[in-house]
Amino acid sequence: MPPKPKKKCCDSKPKCKRCPLRMLKNGTLPEGYTVKKRKLVKIKDVPSKSSSKRAA
């Protein structure tokens, strides 16, 4: 299981493994989360992979 991200980046050098900025860059940030202003934030509307609006 990958490490859970911190709520806020500690801005240290070198970056720790739980840093949300590092996890975003590496693509290991959990689905439904993003980073804004060095803080971990949850995305409100997470599009589901199974439903598609283009399918008619």
Side-chain angles (χ1 to χ4, degrees):
M1 177 178 225
K4 294 184 180 183
K6 291 181 178 179
K7 301 255 183 201
K8 183 179 175 187
C9 176
C10 57
D11 203 23
S12 65
K13 292 278 184 172
K15 299 270 185 241
C16 63
K17 292 184 181 188
R18 293 180 51 219
C19 179
L21 293 174
R22 174 178 268 192
M23 292 181 83
L24 180 67
K25 182 179 177 185
N26 293 342
T28 57
L29 201 60
E31 190 172 336
Y33 289 94
T34 189
V35 179
K36 291 188 179 179
K37 296 184 181 180
R38 294 190 174 270
K39 292 186 179 181
L40 186 71
V41 293
K42 186 164 182 129
I43 299 172
K44 290 181 181 178
D45 297 322
V46 179
S48 62
K49 293 180 182 180
S50 61
S51 66
S52 176
K53 292 182 180 180
R54 293 186 181 202

